[in-house]
Short mmCIF file of all heavy atoms in Angstrom, two decimals:
data_model
loop_
_atom_site.label_atom_id
_atom_site.label_comp_id
_atom_site.label_asym_id
_atom_site.label_seq_id
_atom_site.Cartn_x
_atom_site.Cartn_y
_atom_site.Cartn_z
N THR A 139 -14.16 30.27 -8.38
CA THR A 139 -12.74 30.59 -8.24
C THR A 139 -11.88 29.35 -8.36
O THR A 139 -10.85 29.34 -9.06
CB THR A 139 -12.49 31.27 -6.89
OG1 THR A 139 -13.27 32.47 -6.81
CG2 THR A 139 -11.02 31.60 -6.71
N ILE A 140 -12.29 28.29 -7.69
CA ILE A 140 -11.52 27.04 -7.74
C ILE A 140 -11.55 26.46 -9.15
O ILE A 140 -10.54 25.94 -9.64
CB ILE A 140 -12.08 26.04 -6.71
CG1 ILE A 140 -11.79 26.53 -5.29
CG2 ILE A 140 -11.46 24.65 -6.91
CD1 ILE A 140 -12.41 25.67 -4.20
N ALA A 141 -12.69 26.57 -9.83
CA ALA A 141 -12.78 26.06 -11.21
C ALA A 141 -11.79 26.78 -12.12
O ALA A 141 -11.12 26.15 -12.95
CB ALA A 141 -14.20 26.22 -11.73
N ASP A 142 -11.69 28.10 -11.97
CA ASP A 142 -10.73 28.86 -12.79
C ASP A 142 -9.29 28.45 -12.48
O ASP A 142 -8.46 28.33 -13.38
CB ASP A 142 -10.90 30.36 -12.54
CG ASP A 142 -12.22 30.89 -13.08
OD1 ASP A 142 -12.79 30.22 -13.97
OD2 ASP A 142 -12.68 31.95 -12.62
N THR A 143 -8.99 28.22 -11.19
CA THR A 143 -7.64 27.82 -10.80
C THR A 143 -7.27 26.45 -11.38
O THR A 143 -6.18 26.27 -11.96
CB THR A 143 -7.52 27.76 -9.27
OG1 THR A 143 -7.81 29.04 -8.72
CG2 THR A 143 -6.13 27.31 -8.84
N VAL A 144 -8.19 25.51 -11.27
CA VAL A 144 -7.92 24.14 -11.73
C VAL A 144 -7.85 24.08 -13.25
O VAL A 144 -7.05 23.34 -13.83
CB VAL A 144 -9.00 23.18 -11.19
CG1 VAL A 144 -8.85 21.81 -11.81
CG2 VAL A 144 -8.91 23.09 -9.67
N ALA A 145 -8.68 24.89 -13.93
CA ALA A 145 -8.71 24.85 -15.40
C ALA A 145 -7.37 25.23 -16.01
O ALA A 145 -7.05 24.81 -17.13
CB ALA A 145 -9.80 25.77 -15.91
N GLY A 146 -6.56 26.00 -15.28
CA GLY A 146 -5.27 26.43 -15.80
C GLY A 146 -4.15 25.44 -15.56
O GLY A 146 -3.01 25.68 -16.00
N LEU A 147 -4.40 24.32 -14.88
CA LEU A 147 -3.36 23.34 -14.60
C LEU A 147 -3.05 22.49 -15.82
O LEU A 147 -3.92 22.23 -16.66
CB LEU A 147 -3.78 22.44 -13.42
CG LEU A 147 -3.99 23.12 -12.07
CD1 LEU A 147 -4.49 22.10 -11.05
CD2 LEU A 147 -2.70 23.76 -11.59
N ASP A 148 -1.83 22.03 -15.90
CA ASP A 148 -1.39 21.20 -17.01
C ASP A 148 -2.15 19.88 -17.01
O ASP A 148 -2.28 19.22 -15.98
CB ASP A 148 0.11 20.92 -16.89
CG ASP A 148 0.60 20.03 -18.02
OD1 ASP A 148 0.35 20.38 -19.18
OD2 ASP A 148 1.24 18.99 -17.73
N GLY A 149 -2.68 19.50 -18.17
CA GLY A 149 -3.37 18.23 -18.32
C GLY A 149 -4.85 18.28 -18.02
O GLY A 149 -5.56 17.29 -18.26
N VAL A 150 -5.37 19.38 -17.52
CA VAL A 150 -6.81 19.51 -17.25
C VAL A 150 -7.51 19.93 -18.55
O VAL A 150 -7.19 20.98 -19.11
CB VAL A 150 -7.09 20.53 -16.13
CG1 VAL A 150 -8.59 20.76 -15.98
CG2 VAL A 150 -6.49 20.04 -14.82
N VAL A 151 -8.43 19.11 -19.03
CA VAL A 151 -9.08 19.38 -20.32
C VAL A 151 -10.50 19.88 -20.16
O VAL A 151 -11.13 20.28 -21.15
CB VAL A 151 -9.07 18.11 -21.19
CG1 VAL A 151 -7.65 17.71 -21.52
CG2 VAL A 151 -9.81 16.97 -20.52
N GLY A 152 -11.03 19.89 -18.96
CA GLY A 152 -12.38 20.39 -18.77
C GLY A 152 -12.76 20.42 -17.31
O GLY A 152 -12.38 19.54 -16.54
N VAL A 153 -13.52 21.46 -16.95
CA VAL A 153 -14.05 21.58 -15.59
C VAL A 153 -15.52 21.95 -15.69
O VAL A 153 -15.88 22.92 -16.37
CB VAL A 153 -13.30 22.65 -14.77
CG1 VAL A 153 -13.87 22.73 -13.36
CG2 VAL A 153 -11.81 22.36 -14.73
N ARG A 154 -16.39 21.18 -15.05
CA ARG A 154 -17.83 21.48 -15.05
C ARG A 154 -18.29 21.68 -13.61
O ARG A 154 -18.06 20.81 -12.76
CB ARG A 154 -18.63 20.37 -15.72
CG ARG A 154 -20.12 20.72 -15.85
CD ARG A 154 -20.90 19.64 -16.57
NE ARG A 154 -20.97 18.41 -15.79
CZ ARG A 154 -20.48 17.25 -16.17
NH1 ARG A 154 -19.83 17.17 -17.32
NH2 ARG A 154 -20.59 16.18 -15.41
#
Side-chain angles (χ1 to χ4, degrees):
T139 300
I140 292 175
D142 291 339
T143 300
V144 172
L147 297 176
D148 179 53
V150 174
V151 297
V153 180
R154 185 177 68 242

